[in-house]
Amino acid sequence: MNDERADACCELDARVGSVLGKMSLEQKCALLSGATAFGTRAFPGLGVPELQFSDGPHGLRHQAEGANHLGIGGSLPATCFPTAVTVANTWNPELGQEMGAALGMEAKVQGVNVLLGPGLCLKRSPLCGRNFEYFSEDPYLAGKMAAGFVRGIQGQGVAACPKHFAVNSQETRRQASDSVLDERTLRELYLSAFETVVRESHPMAIMSSYNLVNGTYANENAHLLQEVLRDEWGFGGAVVTDWGASVDHVAGVAAGSTLEMPDPGLDSVRELVDAVRGGLIEGSVVDVRVREALALVFHTDEAVKSAPATFDVDAHHELARRVAAQGIVLMKNDVPAGKERAALPLAIGTRVALIGDFARAPRYQGAGSSLVNCTRLDSLLDVIGDSDELSLVGFEPGFDRDGQADAGKLAAAEELARKAEVALVCLGLGESDETEGADRTRMRLNQNQIDLLERIRSTCGQVVVLLSAGSVVETSWAKDCDALLYLALGGQAGADAAVDVLTGKVNPSGHLAETWPLSLADTPTAGTFPSEGATAEYREGLYVGYRYYQSASVPVAFPFGFGLSYTTFSYADERVVTNAEGVPQAVTFVVSNTGDVAGAEVAQLYVALPSRKVFRPTQELKGFARVELAVGESREVTIPLDDKAFRYFNPRTGSWEVEGGSYELRVGASCEDVRLTATAEVAGTGAPDPYEGVGLPSYQSGCVANVPDAEFEALLGRAAPSPGVKIGRDMCFRDLGHTRSPLLWLVGGILGHLHRRNFAKGAPDLNVEFVYNMPLHAIAKMAPPVCMGVVDALVREAKGWGVLGIVPAVAVWLLSGGLGWGVLAWALWVLLPILAAFASGRMKDASFAKRL
């Protein structure tokens, strides 16, 4: 098998080299920019086909020909699998790989070479609008889950494209926000998951993110793309920009970026050609990028050409159901008053009232570029109504989805609950609460849902909540239910999966991949996330998620790794396995099913160094294992310790180091439920303390909710940049009111009005949000044939060029005796530079196109 792979690689290299030798400079540069919304430029005469991309973290959003990248929805039917938040709760990379294989199959059936996913940005705050697309607050879990996805996708012969590289944590100003953080936090948290993916699953592509990282756009950041990704990790694939994330294409190519997407026109191509001929960039660098692009095209082309005409729709739906069921987390399961057994599972024939609008119109995926046009969709109302296991006495929506109080719906739901043994109350976040392009403003459910639950609690003897949400919510209302099932976002088969768990057909085994705080005020970024300024300061450093709550002793509602079961498990006999030199290699222990039903436990390994000199979180996840056990069965479990188990990044030495000492290896069912502890002596690398002589009391204690300016700058080792927005190419449309142009004030005012009323509709227009947070430079990258010259003309207008035009306008008015002539003169003064730049760009493009 290895010989076959080597022969295939040699054949691919030869083919790439042959085509590269025949390409002109213009053709090479043209290949590195998109030609359509989701396709690259084909060169039939050279045997180079078009490369097709598709959104697809949890299902394909492959649009018909002629669609644009902002055409949310309207895509070809595909299986809507559970989103990443649900998949991560399975703690099952093998299941993720199986799901990835199904995604890869659907991709090649639809003619897609590269699937844009999975998403593995860390969940820095519960308020990130795109958290549903990301796996975890923990880089180890996120990396392992993403690696499984990539192996599955690429096993079908097409490419995966993990995203967004890197430190892309908020949607507010997402295309122009500067993520400011220290090198240690960057390496240990925000790059670590990507490192795992690159080293363990070898993705053919990586997507660069929109934002700046420490002052440089991610797509132009040589430290990220060349020094770390390519030189240190050995990544040899293509770096693909997020759609519109290219700012300076020449700088991007020089830094290690391969393909600029979507379709920026020929402006970028011309700039790259001129840069090579002008000596600003070596032609050999362009050749390296072209080799990467050609390899991606040729490597995936055969799989697409030989793909079957269809995929097994029913089999993929059943797989989606299985993934959703494993991702459901049982968060509460009390014994109701007057009962002898826990609320769940429900007995056969139980009379249930189904209450809540989400039972009829499910929240099963997030909004934005990941929106899937699913092959079918099941609702709880349909599934329970058709079920032979539960007796449905009726359904009432109970509340308005938009949050408005409705006394009639509340009363009807209360009346229905009186007729049932169990009230199944479906609560959750609405479509406008979680979406690409905008961050959340709160962690609470709508008050009308909380009011409904309180009324049902006083009416029905047994209440079960089914919660649909792609991210964390406050759960003070959980006191009013006997059982709580977190469905997350379960995809098109999520309703079937929920009923499987309700009735005990499936024993819940999901565990939380993120901490659920008691309130937003308890989070380390409360009051600072999302950042509205030009910079987003990561003052919390290493203390994200459970790393913060445990280090700072902040109580939480539900800890990281938490999940209940219909059975019970015990742990015993922990042992540390070492090699001949005494270096810990693995931890073994025994897990037993001590209950009366078969089930699966997620055993987690945390590493701690109680006596430490270099500050670090109290403990960190360094391994896990999902264990399936029959009733009474015991099994020895081995969790390996890899090269990341004891390391930390030392900013003084610029390398990974190990602090020597006595480490605790803690095994348990969550970060707060540690069952076993063993110690291991680990030799250090002898590196100097990087913080010696630096006062960092907040970071030493983990109490980082209010880090002073001076301390944050001491951690950075430099002054923090100004958060102020400057007039220029990088300013966003949301900032037009701060320019010196009356015309742009008007545009900004209209856009601001649309933004403010957008979310009141319940189903926001995402195009409004994309434009609102979009920088001016993105016009030239996402709206061809507009060139960067037009952007520069707009910048001149923003700086007050139009205001200067008032003088000649007044002169024309006085001389002509007509106000209209003065207004016309002013309009020409403003518009002529913009139109001239547009016309110039069009002529240059037309001339250049002939050379291709």
Side-chain angles (χ1 to χ4, degrees):
M1 182 63 71
N2 288 335
D3 290 340
E4 292 178 5
R5 288 177 180 173
D7 291 342
C9 288
C10 289
E11 184 179 339
L12 178 64
D13 288 343
R15 186 180 179 188
V16 168
S18 174
V19 171
L20 181 66
K22 299 173 184 176
M23 296 181 80
S24 67
L25 176 61
E26 288 80 3
Q27 289 172 327
K28 292 176 184 178
C29 294
L31 179 64
L32 300 183
S33 290
T36 62
F38 286 97
T40 61
R41 207 168 257 103
F43 294 94
L46 296 172
V48 180
E50 177 188 26
L51 186 77
Q52 273 289 315
F53 298 91
S54 173
D55 290 311
H58 62 272
L60 265 75
R61 191 181 71 89
H62 186 217
Q63 294 178 275
E65 186 175 351
N68 66 71
H69 64 284
L70 292 181
I72 307 302
S75 55
L76 302 175
T79 307
C80 181
F81 289 95
T83 67
V85 61
T86 316
V87 181
N89 289 342
T90 71
W91 294 60
N92 191 343
E94 290 73 26
L95 184 62
Q97 183 168 337
E98 192 175 347
M99 177 176 152
L103 290 168
M105 170 59 74
E106 295 192 23
K108 64 184 182 182
V109 165
Q110 293 194 15
V112 171
N113 304 77
V114 183
L115 200 63
L116 301 175
L120 61 156
C121 296
L122 288 195
K123 300 183 183 186
R124 179 181 173 228
S125 165
L127 297 185
C128 176
R130 213 167 177 179
N131 273 353
F132 63 88
E133 278 192 69
Y134 303 140
F135 288 113
S136 180
E137 67 189 30
D138 181 82
Y140 184 91
L141 178 58
K144 292 292 184 180
M145 294 303 301
F149 259 70
V150 172
R151 285 191 294 268
I153 292 168
Q154 297 193 162
Q156 295 295 317
V158 295
C161 187
K163 60 185 186 180
H164 308 89
F165 192 71
V167 205
N168 182 221
S169 302
Q170 67 176 52
E171 293 299 286
T172 303
R173 292 189 181 276
R174 65 176 183 163
Q175 285 187 260
S177 176
D178 184 3
S179 299
V180 180
L181 73 170
D182 65 290
E183 185 72 9
R184 185 180 172 198
T185 298
L186 173 67
R187 294 300 200 104
E188 291 188 25
L189 293 189
Y190 296 95
L191 299 188
S192 184
F194 285 97
E195 180 183 2
T196 296
V197 170
V198 169
R199 294 189 185 277
E200 295 187 7
S201 60
H202 312 290
M204 299 183 209
I206 292 281
M207 181 186 286
S208 60
S209 58
Y210 285 123
N211 54 289
L212 300 90
V213 180
N214 289 327
T216 303
Y217 278 102
N219 191 63
E220 302 164 14
N221 197 312
H223 177 55
L224 290 179
L225 302 187
Q226 190 63 52
E227 295 174 7
V228 176
L229 179 62
R230 297 190 183 279
D231 297 343
E232 186 176 322
W233 300 346
F235 176 74
V239 171
V240 181
T241 72
D242 202 343
W243 266 228
S246 174
V247 180
D248 184 330
H249 184 48
V250 175
V253 169
S257 179
T258 311
L259 290 166
E260 178 188 45
M261 294 299 295
D263 170 19
L266 292 175
D267 198 24
S268 293
V269 182
R270 288 188 282 103
E271 288 179 359
L272 186 55
V273 170
D274 292 344
V276 174
R277 292 198 167 130
L280 297 178
I281 184 174
E282 295 291 335
S284 59
V285 174
V286 173
D287 284 352
V288 171
R289 302 286 88 85
V290 173
R291 282 184 176 275
E292 294 159 2
L294 289 174
L296 184 61
V297 172
F298 294 148
H299 197 122
T300 58
D301 183 53
E302 184 57 37
V304 172
K305 285 181 177 177
S306 61
T310 60
F311 61 90
D312 192 330
V313 174
D314 291 336
H316 285 197
H317 182 81
E318 285 305 308
L319 174 58
R321 177 177 182 170
R322 186 152 50 91
V323 175
Q326 281 198 25
I328 291 174
V329 182
L330 179 60
M331 300 176 73
K332 181 180 180 180
N333 195 21
D334 292 347
V335 177
K339 303 290 184 178
E340 296 181 354
R341 57 188 295 273
L344 295 177
L346 299 178
I348 300 297
T350 300
R351 290 183 297 109
V352 300
L354 194 54
I355 297 169
D357 191 54
F358 297 107
R360 176 177 54 189
R363 267 298 316 284
Y364 62 99
Q365 64 175 329
S369 62
S370 67
L371 196 69
V372 179
N373 179 17
C374 53
T375 57
R376 58 183 275 198
L377 177 61
D378 298 330
S379 71
L380 280 167
L381 181 58
D382 292 335
V383 174
I384 294 179
D386 295 338
S387 172
D388 295 328
E389 298 172 304
L390 300 175
S391 176
L392 180 64
V393 300
F395 161 76
E396 287 292 341
F399 57 81
D400 280 336
R401 211 176 181 106
D402 61 6
Q404 297 298 314
D406 190 315
K409 288 183 178 180
L410 192 61
E414 191 175 13
E415 180 62 27
L416 178 65
R418 290 192 176 96
K419 303 175 182 178
E421 295 176 81
V422 178
L424 301 179
V425 184
C426 302
L427 308 179
L429 295 175
E431 285 77 7
S432 63
D433 292 313
E434 301 181 280
T435 175
E436 177 183 358
D439 292 307
R440 295 166 62 190
T441 58
R442 59 180 187 172
M443 256 177 59
R444 288 178 56 82
L445 294 179
N446 286 336
Q447 187 61 42
N448 63 348
Q449 296 186 39
I450 298 173
D451 292 342
L452 169 70
L453 180 61
E454 185 177 355
R455 292 277 288 272
I456 299 301
R457 167 83 282 179
S458 65
T459 303
C460 187
Q462 189 168 325
V463 179
V464 176
V465 169
L466 294 92
L467 179 64
S468 299
S471 189
V472 174
V473 298
E474 295 178 9
T475 55
S476 58
W477 46 261
K479 67 183 185 303
D480 289 327
C481 65
D482 301 295
L484 169 58
L485 277 179
Y486 176 45
L487 308 183
L489 296 180
Q492 67 181 54
D496 283 301
V499 175
D500 288 342
V501 172
L502 281 172
T503 59
K505 183 178 180 180
V506 171
N507 188 350
S509 58
H511 285 244
L512 295 176
E514 57 189 313
T515 307
W516 285 48
L518 288 168
S519 69
L520 180 61
D522 291 325
T523 66
T525 56
T528 62
F529 185 99
S531 172
E532 297 286 343
T535 63
E537 297 180 348
Y538 288 56
R539 294 197 177 209
E540 70 278 5
L542 299 174
Y543 300 98
V544 172
Y546 71 92
R547 287 169 165 81
Y548 167 70
Y549 301 110
Q550 292 198 297
S551 299
S553 299
V554 177
V556 300
F558 298 98
F560 175 80
F562 174 82
L564 300 176
S565 171
Y566 295 156
T567 189
T568 54
F569 301 95
S570 67
Y571 292 68
D573 304 330
E574 182 179 2
R575 181 170 59 91
V576 180
V577 180
T578 61
N579 62 14
E581 288 75 36
V583 178
Q585 300 294 294
V587 172
T588 67
F589 51 94
V590 175
V591 180
S592 302
N593 184 341
T594 55
D596 54 8
V597 293
E601 172 71 316
V602 175
Q604 302 154 42
L605 172 62
Y606 295 88
V607 173
L609 181 60
S611 298
R612 52 188 178 269
K613 293 182 179 179
V614 180
F615 72 79
R616 64 173 66 200
T618 296
Q619 62 180 10
E620 297 177 285
L621 180 74
K622 296 298 181 181
F624 61 89
R626 182 184 169 85
V627 190
E628 302 272 355
L629 295 170
V631 177
E633 182 182 4
S634 297
R635 185 177 303 167
E636 184 175 75
V637 178
T638 299
I639 298 180
L641 292 165
D642 61 19
D643 61 340
K644 303 175 183 65
F646 306 106
R647 71 179 191 177
Y648 74 96
F649 190 82
N650 189 311
R652 180 173 295 184
T653 64
S655 59
W656 293 100
E657 307 287 357
V658 175
E659 182 177 352
S662 181
Y663 284 79
E664 290 187 358
L665 307 177
R666 304 169 178 174
V667 175
S670 80
C671 70
E672 290 189 0
D673 186 9
V674 173
R675 308 287 184 88
L676 304 170
T677 299
T679 59
E681 294 296 326
V682 177
T685 53
D689 181 351
Y691 307 111
E692 185 176 1
V694 181
L696 300 172
S698 301
Y699 299 103
Q700 294 290 350
S701 67
C703 298
V704 293
N706 295 287
V707 177
D709 294 349
E711 189 175 353
F712 179 55
E713 292 185 341
L715 180 71
L716 289 176
R718 62 185 185 278
S722 168
V725 176
K726 298 178 181 178
I727 295 178
R729 288 181 176 181
D730 295 346
M731 71 180 302
C732 297
F733 276 82
R734 63 186 289 157
D735 302 315
L736 293 182
H738 302 292
T739 65
R740 304 187 187 101
S741 165
L743 178 63
L744 296 184
W745 294 344
L746 177 63
V747 174
I750 294 172
L751 192 57
H753 172 71
L754 294 174
H755 164 72
R756 285 186 294 274
R757 66 188 288 256
N758 200 15
F759 290 93
K761 299 184 298 182
D765 182 348
L766 298 182
N767 288 332
V768 170
E769 297 310 305
F770 291 155
V771 173
Y772 184 68
N773 283 298
M774 190 173 76
L776 296 183
H777 68 244
I779 302 174
K781 302 297 183 179
M782 303 177 77
V786 175
C787 64
M788 198 60 76
V790 173
V791 174
D792 290 336
L794 287 173
V795 171
R796 288 194 294 271
E797 172 60 23
K799 291 181 176 180
W801 181 254
V803 174
L804 297 177
I806 292 176
V807 175
V810 170
V812 169
W813 173 29
L814 294 175
L815 291 173
S816 66
L819 179 61
W821 288 107
V823 172
L824 177 62
W826 178 80
L828 290 174
W829 177 276
V830 172
L831 295 177
L832 277 179
I834 299 174
L835 294 174
F838 179 81
S840 175
R842 292 287 283 163
M843 288 191 299
K844 290 178 181 179
D845 282 356
S847 174
F848 187 85
K850 296 177 182 178
R851 294 151 63 186
L852 294 177

